[in-house]
Amino acid sequence: MIKTGVIGYIASGDDQGKYVKVQELPDDPPSYLVLTAADRDFMTEGGDEWVEDYTSLRQFFEEARWVIEWDEEQDDNSGGSVTHSS
């Protein structure tokens, strides 16, 4: 499951050891900004990628072979999940 608004740790795949956060943008349909960084505060060695829709977001994660450990505490308070189907 890909979560939005929640910090995740990239446990394996490309960028292993970095952190990721997906932001859903207010487009119609929504697009996404994928932020990565070496630290939880997203201040060092970071980058961002824009993807145009959920299908592209899912492909982005698959191509990077990411296994993400999502911050469950943050998920309970403020995050969301992307649950689109295609």
Side-chain angles (χ1 to χ4, degrees):
M1 177 184 318
I2 299 173
K3 297 186 178 186
T4 59
V6 178
I7 296 172
Y9 176 76
I10 303 172
S12 68
D14 296 348
D15 300 310
Q16 181 177 356
K18 290 190 174 184
Y19 293 88
V20 63
K21 185 173 185 179
V22 178
Q23 295 179 335
E24 184 175 295
L25 302 176
D27 303 327
D28 187 26
S31 62
Y32 301 89
L33 188 61
V34 181
L35 307 169
T36 57
D39 65 310
R40 282 186 66 84
D41 296 322
F42 292 83
M43 300 296 288
T44 59
E45 297 180 38
D48 57 51
E49 296 285 338
W50 175 83
V51 293
E52 65 181 315
D53 55 23
Y54 178 71
T55 300
S56 300
L57 178 65
R58 200 173 66 219
Q59 289 173 343
F60 182 89
F61 270 65
E62 288 172 5
E63 288 173 11
R65 303 179 324 272
W66 282 349
V67 174
I68 308 293
E69 296 172 0
W70 298 104
D71 184 335
E72 293 183 27
E73 182 177 313
Q74 186 183 18
D75 184 36
D76 291 342
N77 294 322
S78 63
S81 298
V82 179
T83 57
H84 301 275
S85 59
S86 48

